[in-house]
Amino acid sequence: MHRIKELFQETFDTGNFPNWVAKSVSGNQVWTLNTSNGNPGNCADMNGYSGGAQLNEDWLISPSVDLSAVTNATLTFQTS
């Protein structure tokens, strides 16, 4: 039986996202902490709707994950 070693997990416990880089290319909307729509808990939220559709390009960039010693890796995330 293979043991799964988790290299990185984000629970989004705080709204300042200390492990991530929030990059706004265009638009006034910013990444926020959403405490009601995550699965099963909190999530990061970017909404380009503010009284109507807004032009936005925003990135939430994860920290780097060293896979040099890993022979088989799986990336899992949820988005909507």
Side-chain angles (χ1 to χ4, degrees), residues 28-42:
N28 294 325
Q29 286 67 37
V30 296
W31 287 97
T32 60
L33 179 66
N34 186 316
T35 59
S36 60
N37 291 323
N39 182 15
N42 300 339

Side-chain angles (χ1 to χ4, degrees), residues 6-74:
E6 192 170 89
L7 299 175
F8 177 73
Q9 179 184 20
E10 179 60 63
T11 57
F12 294 111
D13 291 329
T14 65
N16 63 355
F17 312 118
N19 298 319
W20 299 72
V21 174
K23 173 72 175 165
S24 180
V25 177
S26 64
N28 294 325
Q29 286 67 37
V30 296
W31 287 97
T32 60
L33 179 66
N34 186 316
T35 59
S36 60
N37 291 323
N39 182 15
N42 300 339
C43 65
D45 182 54
M46 164 51 70
N47 190 335
Y49 186 87
S50 178
Q54 304 294 312
L55 178 63
N56 276 287
E57 181 180 347
D58 294 87
W59 297 78
L60 191 58
I61 304 166
S62 72
S64 63
V65 177
D66 183 3
L67 298 176
S68 61
V70 177
T71 57
N72 188 9
T74 301

